[in-house]
């Protein structure tokens, strides 16, 4: 509990006593993106200290990993960031494939990259709609969900799932892409690209939104590095880091090569507005990457999208850390195997965990009214915090 102090202000012969107040925001509050609790100490309307209290959604995923085989753990890993399910799957299967020394068919590599970028668009559109809603603007979320539905339809067609796709398998993908699906992806991407300016027009240059976000919640690069903040939040503070370019996996080495459609979006202001701008521009980049993947898949000859696996899959003894650039930041799995069909240890490093902890540095000194704007601009998923 924070230390309470009393301030005596002389008014004539009497005195007005005021004390710091402890305010709990959450764990059930519209501004907390789920079951998160913020314990704030206030001096009037100004925040003195802030402590994120987590764990209300903790389900022990890392221990559950240890009693599931390598086919089953993909189901569990799928769920911690429910807006980035396909990306969550990738980290697991890429790590297992690397330890097995397994080479995945080229068509599966490009299909995985395409699906990862479509999932990234879905993730970003959710926050592009929900963040203005938290600031009092209700209209953008309707437009964001309209565009999400275009992408959601093709993701559901290929995988059978709307949120938890379970389309990755060790060695490739569950099955081949449906006939005509690439054409429907092209149409969906073109539709979203054509209509996205409607959503942008409500955000870019909006005086009310700028008034609530510009210069608010500034996060400096040094603090980003101290707390391990990553993804769009870090890049909005000028930290130019993206694993798709810096440590390429899947087909990103080719896509982010010179002359390719891939580029890393950054800003330097580090405030709430910069974080929103990065998210918006990244959506355009992901649409470019998706188009490039579709074009490449059309050029590839027909062939397998997975490797045949033994009935009982055992990973050789050893350990490996596999990191991917999830929509919300760095997502890492440290897999330790003792040669069995289940992991001996599978440690998850989720993006949202570090991105939320930095609130202890960002919120002190700000007004309670700005707390919601700052909290929303961190673009986190509580399941990704609690695991």
């Amino acid at each position: 509990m924070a230390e309470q102090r009393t301030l005596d202000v002389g008014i004539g012969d009497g005195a007005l006593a005021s004390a710091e107040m402890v305010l709990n925001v959450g764990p059930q509050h519209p501004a907390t993106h789920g079951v998160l609790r913020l314990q704030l100490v206030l001096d009037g309307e100004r925040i003195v200290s802030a402590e994120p209290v987590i764990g209300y959604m903790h389900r022990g995923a890392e221990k559950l990993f240890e009693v599931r085989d390598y086919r089953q753990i993909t189901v569990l890993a799928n769920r911690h960031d429910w807006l980035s399910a396909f990306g969550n799957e990738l980290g697991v299967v890429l790590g297992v494939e690397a330890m097995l020394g397994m080479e995945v068919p080229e068509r599966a590599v490009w299909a995985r990259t395409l699906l990862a970028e479509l999932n990234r668009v879905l993730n970003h559109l959710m926050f592009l709609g929900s963040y203005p809603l938290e600031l009092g603007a209700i209209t953008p979320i309707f437009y964001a969900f309209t565009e999400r539905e275009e992408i959601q339809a093709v993701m559901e067609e290929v995988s059978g799932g709307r949120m938890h796709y379970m389309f990755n398998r060790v060695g490739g993908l569950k099955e081949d892409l449906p006939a005509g699906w690439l054409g429907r992806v092209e149409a969906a991407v073109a539709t979203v690209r054509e209509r996205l300016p409607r959503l942008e027009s409500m955000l870019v240059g909006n005086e009310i939104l700028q008034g609530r976000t510009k210069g608010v919640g500034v996060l400096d690069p040094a603090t980003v590095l101290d707390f391990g903040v990553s993804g769009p939040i870090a890049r909005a503070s000028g930290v130019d880091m993206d694993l798709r370019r810096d440590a390429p996996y899947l087909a990103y080495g080719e896509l982010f090569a010179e002359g390719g459609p891939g580029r890393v979006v950054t800003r330097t202001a580090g405030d709430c507005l910069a974080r929103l701008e990065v998210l918006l521009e990244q959506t355009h980049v992901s649409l470019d990457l998706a188009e490039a993947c579709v074009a490449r898949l059309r050029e590839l000859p027909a062939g397998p999208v997975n490797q045949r696996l033994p009935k009982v899959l055992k990973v050789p003894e050893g350990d490996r850390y596999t990191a991917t650039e999830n929509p919300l930041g760095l997502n890492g799995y440290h897999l330790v195997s003792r040669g069995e069909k289940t992991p001996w240890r599978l440690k998850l490093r989720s993006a949202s965990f570090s991105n939320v902890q930095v609130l202890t540095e960002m919120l002190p000194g700000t007004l309670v009214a700005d707390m919601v704007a700052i909290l929303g601009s961190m673009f986190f998923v509580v399941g990704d915090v609690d695991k």
Side-chain angles (χ1 to χ4, degrees):
M1 181 65 67
E3 180 183 351
Q4 306 294 301
R5 63 182 176 82
T6 302
L7 176 66
D8 291 330
V9 182
I11 304 178
D13 295 331
L16 176 65
S18 65
E20 290 180 345
M21 179 179 71
V22 177
L23 176 68
N24 284 291
V25 180
Q28 295 286 357
H29 190 282
T32 57
H33 288 233
V35 196
L36 175 74
R37 173 185 167 208
L38 280 179
Q39 184 173 288
L40 307 178
V41 177
L42 307 179
D43 184 357
E45 292 192 27
R46 197 164 294 279
I47 297 172
V48 176
S49 67
E51 179 187 357
V53 182
I54 65 173
Y56 293 94
M57 292 186 68
H58 180 61
R59 59 193 176 89
E62 293 176 339
K63 301 308 292 182
L64 291 173
F65 289 155
E66 297 173 11
V67 292
R68 302 294 192 279
D69 66 34
Y70 289 101
R71 293 176 175 89
Q72 295 170 327
I73 58 175
T74 313
V75 180
L76 294 171
N78 187 285
R79 285 163 163 73
H80 57 88
D81 174 1
W82 48 76
L83 296 179
S84 310
F86 192 85
N88 300 343
E89 297 172 14
L90 277 176
V92 173
V93 295
L94 289 174
V96 173
E97 288 162 2
M99 292 187 70
L100 288 169
M102 180 180 292
E103 187 173 345
V104 176
E106 188 177 11
R107 292 186 70 243
V109 170
W110 282 94
R112 280 176 169 178
T113 310
L114 169 59
L115 291 163
E117 290 308 311
L118 292 176
N119 192 192
R120 197 179 308 273
V121 173
L122 285 173
N123 176 288
H124 291 357
L125 283 172
M126 171 63 80
F127 288 107
L128 290 172
S130 65
Y131 184 49
L133 182 65
E134 291 163 6
L135 300 179
I138 191 171
T139 308
I141 197 166
F142 298 124
Y143 286 86
F145 267 76
T146 300
E147 310 316 325
R148 270 177 57 87
E149 206 54 43
E150 295 289 339
I151 305 296
Q152 198 76 70
V154 293
M155 293 292 284
E156 184 176 6
E157 180 188 358
V158 74
S159 68
R162 285 183 62 82
M163 287 183 68
H164 305 299
Y165 306 111
M166 270 308 297
F167 199 55
N168 276 293
R169 296 290 187 274
V170 174
L173 296 173
K174 174 187 173 185
E175 56 197 12
D176 205 349
L177 307 176
W181 183 76
L182 290 177
R184 290 186 283 279
V185 171
E186 280 183 321
V189 169
T191 300
V192 172
R193 192 187 295 282
E194 179 185 355
R195 296 196 307 222
L196 201 54
R198 299 186 310 178
L199 177 60
E200 287 181 282
S201 66
M202 301 177 196
L203 306 177
V204 179
N206 184 305
E207 292 182 7
I208 298 175
L209 187 142
Q210 284 200 345
R212 292 294 308 276
T213 59
K214 192 171 184 179
V216 175
V218 176
L219 179 61
D220 62 89
T223 306
V224 165
L225 298 176
D226 286 344
F227 279 80
V229 175
S230 60
I233 311 301
R235 291 192 284 273
S237 296
V239 178
D240 187 3
M241 182 181 69
D242 190 317
L243 293 185
R244 294 174 296 172
R245 177 201 63 192
D246 302 332
Y249 56 98
L250 296 180
Y252 289 121
E254 183 173 330
L255 292 170
F256 277 78
E258 188 174 352
R263 58 189 175 87
V264 179
V265 179
T266 60
R267 294 290 187 275
T268 55
D271 57 10
C272 297
L273 182 60
R275 292 190 277 274
L276 183 65
E277 289 175 347
V278 167
L279 215 64
L280 187 57
E281 191 174 341
Q282 280 191 174
T283 304
H284 286 282
V285 174
S286 288
L287 292 172
D288 293 340
L289 293 171
E291 282 186 339
C293 290
V294 170
R296 185 58 178 270
L297 282 166
R298 288 190 181 281
E299 297 172 357
L300 293 177
V305 293
N306 50 43
Q307 296 277 22
R308 291 184 63 87
L309 299 176
K311 187 174 181 180
V312 177
L313 179 63
K314 294 186 177 181
V315 171
E317 189 171 345
D319 69 285
R320 180 182 176 85
Y321 180 75
T322 306
T324 56
E325 187 70 40
N326 256 28
L328 299 182
L330 301 188
N331 190 74
Y333 293 97
H334 183 206
L335 171 61
V336 182
S337 172
R338 289 190 171 176
E340 302 296 333
K341 65 178 183 179
T342 60
W344 186 76
R345 187 76 174 92
L346 186 57
K347 169 68 178 174
L348 166 60
R349 189 271 188 211
S350 61
S352 297
F353 182 84
S354 297
N355 291 359
V356 164
Q357 300 310 309
V358 78
L359 289 169
T360 57
E361 293 290 325
M362 295 178 68
L363 289 176
T366 63
L367 297 172
V368 176
D370 290 330
M371 181 271 297
V372 175
I374 297 170
L375 187 66
S377 74
M378 300 310 287
F379 309 132
F380 61 89
V381 171
V382 176
D384 201 40
V385 177
D386 287 351
K387 299 175 281 188

